[in-house]
Coordinates of all heavy atoms in Angstrom, one line a residue:
M1 N 93.6 126.8 88.6 CA 94.6 126.3 89.5 C 96.0 126.9 89.2 O 96.4 127.0 88.1 CB 94.6 124.8 89.4 CG 95.4 124.1 90.5 SD 95.5 122.3 90.5 CE 93.9 121.8 90.5
S2 N 96.6 127.4 90.2 CA 97.9 128.0 90.0 C 99.0 127.0 89.7 O 98.8 125.8 89.9 CB 98.3 128.8 91.2 OG 98.7 128.0 92.3
A3 N 100.1 127.5 89.2 CA 101.2 126.6 88.9 C 101.8 125.9 90.2 O 102.1 124.7 90.1 CB 102.4 127.4 88.3
D4 N 101.7 126.6 91.3 CA 102.2 126.0 92.6 C 101.2 124.8 93.0 O 101.7 123.8 93.4 CB 102.2 127.0 93.7 CG 103.4 128.0 93.6 OD1 104.4 127.6 92.8 OD2 103.4 129.0 94.2
D5 N 99.9 125.1 92.8 CA 98.9 124.1 93.1 C 99.1 122.9 92.2 O 99.0 121.7 92.7 CB 97.5 124.6 92.9 CG 97.2 125.6 94.0 OD1 97.9 125.7 95.1 OD2 96.2 126.4 93.8
Q6 N 99.3 123.1 90.9 CA 99.5 122.0 90.0 C 100.8 121.2 90.3 O 100.8 120.0 90.3 CB 99.6 122.5 88.6 CG 98.3 123.0 88.0 CD 98.4 123.6 86.7 OE1 99.4 124.0 86.2 NE2 97.2 123.8 86.0
A7 N 101.9 121.9 90.7 CA 103.1 121.2 91.1 C 102.9 120.4 92.4 O 103.4 119.2 92.5 CB 104.2 122.2 91.3
L8 N 102.1 120.9 93.3 CA 101.8 120.1 94.5 C 101.0 118.9 94.2 O 101.2 117.8 94.8 CB 101.1 121.1 95.5 CG 100.7 120.4 96.9 CD1 101.9 119.8 97.6 CD2 99.9 121.4 97.7
V9 N 100.0 119.1 93.4 CA 99.2 117.9 93.0 C 100.0 116.9 92.3 O 99.9 115.7 92.6 CB 98.0 118.3 92.1 CG1 97.3 117.2 91.5 CG2 96.9 119.2 92.9
E10 N 100.8 117.3 91.4 CA 101.7 116.3 90.8 C 102.7 115.6 91.8 O 102.9 114.4 91.6 CB 102.5 117.0 89.7 CG 103.3 116.1 88.7 CD 102.5 115.0 88.1 OE1 101.3 115.4 87.7 OE2 102.9 113.9 87.8
A11 N 103.2 116.4 92.7 CA 104.1 115.8 93.7 C 103.4 114.8 94.5 O 103.9 113.7 94.9 CB 104.7 116.9 94.5
L12 N 102.1 115.1 94.9 CA 101.3 114.2 95.7 C 101.0 112.9 94.9 O 101.0 111.8 95.5 CB 100.1 114.9 96.2 CG 100.2 115.9 97.3 CD1 99.0 116.7 97.5 CD2 100.8 115.3 98.6
K13 N 100.7 113.0 93.7 CA 100.4 111.9 92.8 C 101.7 111.0 92.7 O 101.6 109.8 92.8 CB 100.0 112.3 91.4 CG 98.6 112.9 91.3 CD 98.3 113.2 89.9 CE 96.9 113.8 89.8 NZ 96.6 114.2 88.4
E14 N 102.9 111.6 92.6 CA 104.1 110.8 92.5 C 104.4 110.1 93.8 O 104.8 109.0 93.8 CB 105.2 111.7 92.1 CG 105.2 112.2 90.6 CD 106.3 113.2 90.3 OE1 107.2 113.4 91.1 OE2 106.2 113.7 89.2
S15 N 104.1 110.8 94.9 CA 104.3 110.3 96.2 C 103.4 109.1 96.5 O 103.8 108.0 97.0 CB 104.1 111.3 97.3 OG 104.2 110.8 98.6
A16 N 102.1 109.2 96.1 CA 101.2 108.1 96.2 C 101.6 106.9 95.4 O 101.5 105.7 95.9 CB 99.8 108.6 95.9
A17 N 102.1 107.2 94.2 CA 102.5 106.0 93.3 C 103.7 105.4 94.0 O 103.8 104.1 93.9 CB 102.9 106.6 91.9
A18 N 104.6 106.1 94.5 CA 105.8 105.5 95.1 C 105.4 104.7 96.4 O 106.0 103.6 96.6 CB 106.8 106.6 95.5
Q19 N 104.4 105.2 97.1 CA 104.0 104.4 98.3 C 103.3 103.1 97.9 O 103.5 102.1 98.6 CB 103.0 105.3 99.1 CG 103.7 106.4 99.9 CD 102.8 107.3 100.6 OE1 101.5 107.2 100.4 NE2 103.3 108.2 101.4
R20 N 102.6 103.1 96.8 CA 101.9 101.9 96.3 C 103.0 100.9 95.9 O 102.9 99.7 96.2 CB 101.0 102.2 95.1 CG 99.6 102.8 95.6 CD 98.6 102.9 94.4 NE 99.1 103.8 93.3 CZ 98.8 105.0 93.3 NH1 98.1 105.6 94.3 NH2 99.2 105.8 92.3
E21 N 104.0 101.4 95.2 CA 105.1 100.5 94.7 C 105.8 100.0 96.0 O 106.2 98.7 96.0 CB 106.1 101.2 93.9 CG 105.5 101.6 92.5 CD 106.5 102.4 91.7 OE1 107.7 102.5 92.1 OE2 106.1 102.9 90.6
S22 N 106.1 100.8 97.0 CA 106.7 100.3 98.2 C 105.9 99.3 98.9 O 106.4 98.2 99.4 CB 107.0 101.5 99.1 OG 107.6 101.1 100.3
A23 N 104.6 99.5 99.0 CA 103.7 98.5 99.7 C 103.7 97.2 98.9 O 103.7 96.1 99.6 CB 102.3 99.1 99.8
A24 N 103.7 97.3 97.6 CA 103.7 96.0 96.8 C 105.0 95.3 97.1 O 105.0 94.0 97.2 CB 103.5 96.3 95.3
A25 N 106.1 96.0 97.1 CA 107.4 95.3 97.3 C 107.4 94.7 98.7 O 108.0 93.6 98.9 CB 108.5 96.4 97.2
M26 N 106.9 95.4 99.7 CA 106.9 94.8 101.1 C 106.0 93.6 101.1 O 106.3 92.6 101.8 CB 106.3 95.9 102.1 CG 107.4 96.9 102.4 SD 106.9 98.0 103.7 CE 106.0 99.2 102.8
R27 N 104.8 93.6 100.4 CA 104.0 92.4 100.4 C 104.8 91.2 99.7 O 104.7 90.1 100.2 CB 102.7 92.6 99.5 CG 101.6 93.2 100.4 CD 100.2 93.2 99.6 NE 100.3 93.9 98.3 CZ 100.2 95.2 98.1 NH1 99.9 95.9 99.2 NH2 100.3 95.7 96.9
D28 N 105.5 91.5 98.6 CA 106.2 90.5 98.0 C 107.3 89.9 98.9 O 107.5 88.7 99.0 CB 106.9 91.0 96.7 CG 105.9 91.3 95.6 OD1 104.7 90.8 95.7 OD2 106.3 92.0 94.6
L29 N 108.0 90.8 99.6 CA 109.0 90.3 100.6 C 108.4 89.5 101.7 O 108.9 88.4 102.1 CB 109.7 91.5 101.2 CG 110.8 91.2 102.2 CD1 111.9 90.3 101.5 CD2 111.4 92.5 102.7
A30 N 107.2 89.9 102.2 CA 106.6 89.1 103.3 C 106.2 87.7 102.7 O 106.4 86.8 103.5 CB 105.3 89.9 103.8
E31 N 105.7 87.7 101.5 CA 105.3 86.4 101.0 C 106.5 85.5 100.8 O 106.5 84.3 101.1 CB 104.6 86.6 99.6 CG 103.1 87.2 99.8 CD 102.5 87.5 98.5 OE1 103.0 87.1 97.4 OE2 101.4 88.1 98.5
S32 N 107.6 86.1 100.3 CA 108.9 85.4 100.1 C 109.3 84.8 101.5 O 109.8 83.7 101.6 CB 109.9 86.3 99.5 OG 111.1 85.6 99.4
N33 N 109.3 85.7 102.5 CA 109.8 85.3 103.8 C 108.9 84.2 104.4 O 109.4 83.2 105.0 CB 109.7 86.5 104.8 CG 110.8 87.4 104.6 OD1 111.8 87.2 103.8 ND2 110.7 88.6 105.1
R34 N 107.6 84.3 104.2 CA 106.7 83.2 104.6 C 107.0 81.9 103.9 O 107.0 80.8 104.6 CB 105.2 83.6 104.3 CG 104.2 82.6 104.8 CD 104.1 82.7 106.3 NE 104.4 81.4 106.9 CZ 104.6 81.2 108.2 NH1 104.5 82.1 109.0 NH2 104.8 80.0 108.5
A35 N 107.3 81.9 102.6 CA 107.6 80.7 101.9 C 108.9 80.1 102.4 O 109.0 78.9 102.6 CB 107.7 81.0 100.4
M36 N 109.9 80.9 102.7 CA 111.1 80.5 103.2 C 110.9 79.8 104.6 O 111.5 78.7 104.9 CB 112.2 81.6 103.3 CG 113.5 81.2 103.9 SD 114.4 80.0 102.9 CE 114.9 81.0 101.6
I37 N 110.2 80.5 105.4 CA 109.8 79.8 106.8 C 109.2 78.5 106.6 O 109.5 77.6 107.3 CB 109.0 80.8 107.6 CG1 109.9 82.0 108.0 CG2 108.5 80.2 108.8 CD1 109.1 83.2 108.6
D38 N 108.2 78.5 105.8 CA 107.5 77.2 105.5 C 108.5 76.1 105.1 O 108.4 74.9 105.6 CB 106.4 77.3 104.6 CG 105.2 78.1 105.1 OD1 105.2 78.3 106.3 OD2 104.4 78.6 104.3
L39 N 109.4 76.4 104.1 CA 110.4 75.5 103.7 C 111.3 75.0 104.8 O 111.6 73.8 104.9 CB 111.2 76.1 102.5 CG 112.3 75.2 101.9 CD1 111.7 74.0 101.3 CD2 113.1 76.0 100.9
L40 N 111.8 76.0 105.6 CA 112.7 75.6 106.6 C 112.0 74.7 107.7 O 112.6 73.8 108.2 CB 113.2 76.9 107.3 CG 114.2 77.7 106.4 CD1 114.6 79.0 107.1 CD2 115.5 76.9 106.2
A41 N 110.7 75.0 107.9 CA 109.9 74.2 108.9 C 109.8 72.8 108.4 O 109.9 71.8 109.2 CB 108.6 74.9 109.2
E42 N 109.5 72.7 107.1 CA 109.4 71.3 106.5 C 110.7 70.6 106.6 O 110.7 69.4 106.9 CB 108.9 71.4 105.1 CG 107.5 71.8 104.9 CD 107.2 72.0 103.4 OE1 107.8 71.5 102.5 OE2 106.2 72.8 103.1
Q43 N 111.8 71.3 106.3 CA 113.1 70.6 106.3 C 113.4 70.2 107.8 O 113.9 69.1 108.0 CB 114.2 71.5 105.8 CG 114.1 71.6 104.3 CD 115.2 72.6 103.8 OE1 115.8 73.4 104.5 NE2 115.4 72.6 102.5
F44 N 113.1 71.0 108.7 CA 113.4 70.7 110.1 C 112.5 69.5 110.5 O 113.1 68.6 111.2 CB 113.0 71.9 111.0 CG 113.2 71.7 112.5 CD1 114.5 71.7 113.0 CD2 112.1 71.4 113.3 CE1 114.6 71.5 114.4 CE2 112.3 71.2 114.6 CZ 113.5 71.2 115.2
A45 N 111.3 69.5 110.1 CA 110.5 68.4 110.5 C 111.0 67.0 109.9 O 111.0 66.0 110.5 CB 109.0 68.6 110.0
E46 N 111.5 67.1 108.7 CA 112.1 65.9 108.0 C 113.3 65.5 108.8 O 113.5 64.2 108.9 CB 112.4 66.2 106.6 CG 111.1 66.3 105.7 CD 111.5 66.8 104.3 OE1 112.7 66.9 104.0 OE2 110.5 67.0 103.5
E47 N 114.1 66.4 109.2 CA 115.4 66.0 109.8 C 115.2 65.5 111.3 O 115.9 64.6 111.7 CB 116.3 67.3 109.9 CG 116.8 67.6 108.5 CD 117.6 69.0 108.6 OE1 117.8 69.5 109.7 OE2 118.0 69.4 107.5
T48 N 114.2 66.0 111.9 CA 114.0 65.7 113.4 C 112.8 64.7 113.6 O 112.7 64.2 114.7 CB 113.7 67.0 114.2 OG1 112.5 67.6 113.7 CG2 114.9 67.9 114.1
G49 N 112.0 64.6 112.6 CA 110.8 63.7 112.7 C 109.7 64.4 113.5 O 108.7 63.7 113.9
E50 N 109.8 65.7 113.7 CA 108.8 66.4 114.5 C 107.8 66.9 113.5 O 108.0 67.1 112.3 CB 109.4 67.5 115.3 CG 110.3 67.0 116.4 CD 110.8 68.2 117.2 OE1 110.2 69.3 117.2 OE2 111.8 68.0 117.9
E51 N 106.6 67.3 114.0 CA 105.5 67.9 113.2 C 106.0 69.3 112.7 O 106.5 70.1 113.5 CB 104.2 68.0 114.0 CG 103.1 68.6 113.2 CD 101.8 68.7 114.0 OE1 101.6 67.9 114.9 OE2 101.1 69.7 113.8
A52 N 105.8 69.6 111.5 CA 106.2 70.9 110.9 C 105.2 71.9 111.3 O 104.0 71.8 111.1 CB 106.2 70.8 109.4
G53 N 105.7 73.0 111.8 CA 104.8 74.2 112.0 C 104.0 74.1 113.2 O 103.7 73.1 113.8
A54 N 103.5 75.2 113.6 CA 102.5 75.3 114.7 C 101.2 75.8 114.1 O 101.1 76.4 113.0 CB 103.0 76.3 115.7
S55 N 100.1 75.7 114.8 CA 98.8 76.1 114.3 C 98.5 77.5 114.8 O 97.4 78.1 114.4 CB 97.7 75.1 114.7 OG 97.7 75.0 116.1
T56 N 99.3 78.0 115.8 CA 99.0 79.4 116.3 C 100.3 80.1 116.4 O 101.4 79.6 116.5 CB 98.4 79.4 117.7 OG1 99.2 78.7 118.6 CG2 97.0 78.7 117.7
Y57 N 100.2 81.5 116.4 CA 101.3 82.4 116.7 C 101.6 82.3 118.2 O 100.8 81.8 119.0 CB 101.1 83.8 116.2 CG 101.0 83.9 114.7 CD1 99.8 84.0 114.1 CD2 102.2 83.9 113.9 CE1 99.7 84.1 112.7 CE2 102.2 84.0 112.6 CZ 100.9 84.1 112.0 OH 100.9 84.2 110.6
L58 N 102.7 82.9 118.7 CA 103.1 82.9 120.0 C 102.0 83.6 120.9 O 101.8 83.3 122.1 CB 104.4 83.6 120.3 CG 105.6 82.9 119.7 CD1 106.9 83.8 119.9 CD2 105.8 81.5 120.3
D59 N 101.3 84.6 120.3 CA 100.2 85.2 121.1 C 98.9 84.5 121.1 O 97.9 84.9 121.6 CB 100.0 86.7 120.6 CG 99.4 86.7 119.2 OD1 99.1 85.6 118.6 OD2 99.1 87.8 118.7
G60 N 98.9 83.3 120.5 CA 97.7 82.5 120.5 C 96.8 82.6 119.3 O 95.8 81.9 119.1
T61 N 97.0 83.6 118.4 CA 96.1 83.8 117.3 C 96.4 82.7 116.3 O 97.6 82.4 116.1 CB 96.3 85.2 116.6 OG1 97.7 85.4 116.3 CG2 95.9 86.3 117.6
P62 N 95.4 82.2 115.6 CA 95.6 81.2 114.6 C 96.4 81.6 113.4 O 96.2 82.8 113.0 CB 94.2 80.8 114.2 CG 93.3 81.9 114.6 CD 94.0 82.7 115.7
M63 N 97.1 80.7 112.9 CA 97.9 81.0 111.6 C 97.0 80.7 110.4 O 96.1 79.8 110.5 CB 99.1 80.1 111.5 CG 100.1 80.4 112.5 SD 101.5 79.3 112.3 CE 102.9 80.3 112.9
R64 N 97.1 81.5 109.4 CA 96.4 81.3 108.2 C 97.1 80.3 107.3 O 98.3 80.3 107.3 CB 96.1 82.6 107.5 CG 97.3 83.3 107.0 CD 97.0 84.7 106.3 NE 98.2 85.4 106.2 CZ 98.7 85.6 105.0 NH1 98.2 85.2 103.9 NH2 99.8 86.3 104.9
G65 N 96.3 79.7 106.4 CA 96.9 78.9 105.3 C 97.8 77.9 105.8 O 98.5 77.1 105.3

């Protein structure tokens, strides 16, 4: 394998690692956002006396958890 090929392989490995880190950070952010939404929905329900949250998204698909 030539030096150029080795450099390309190394660059691709680094890029893949960076993409994995980015995906993990996005998952963490999504989980954090979901927790914040759940907390706000609970607080709203307590303040208004309404049921917290919906069982489906706006498009009708069921919510998980």
Side-chain angles (χ1 to χ4, degrees):
M1 191 180 305
S2 73
D4 287 341
D5 291 341
Q6 289 175 342
L8 178 59
V9 168
E10 187 59 34
L12 290 171
K13 286 180 182 179
E14 290 175 10
S15 176
Q19 288 176 351
R20 283 190 295 274
E21 289 176 13
S22 178
M26 285 187 273
R27 269 192 307 276
D28 291 345
L29 180 59
E31 289 173 9
S32 173
N33 286 347
R34 182 75 239 168
M36 179 63 73
I37 290 168
D38 290 343
L39 177 64
L40 292 172
E42 287 176 21
Q43 288 178 346
F44 177 78
E46 290 173 2
E47 291 173 4
T48 63
E50 294 182 18
E51 181 180 325
S55 59
T56 61
Y57 291 102
L58 293 176
D59 68 358
T61 57
M63 293 181 152
R64 62 182 169 110

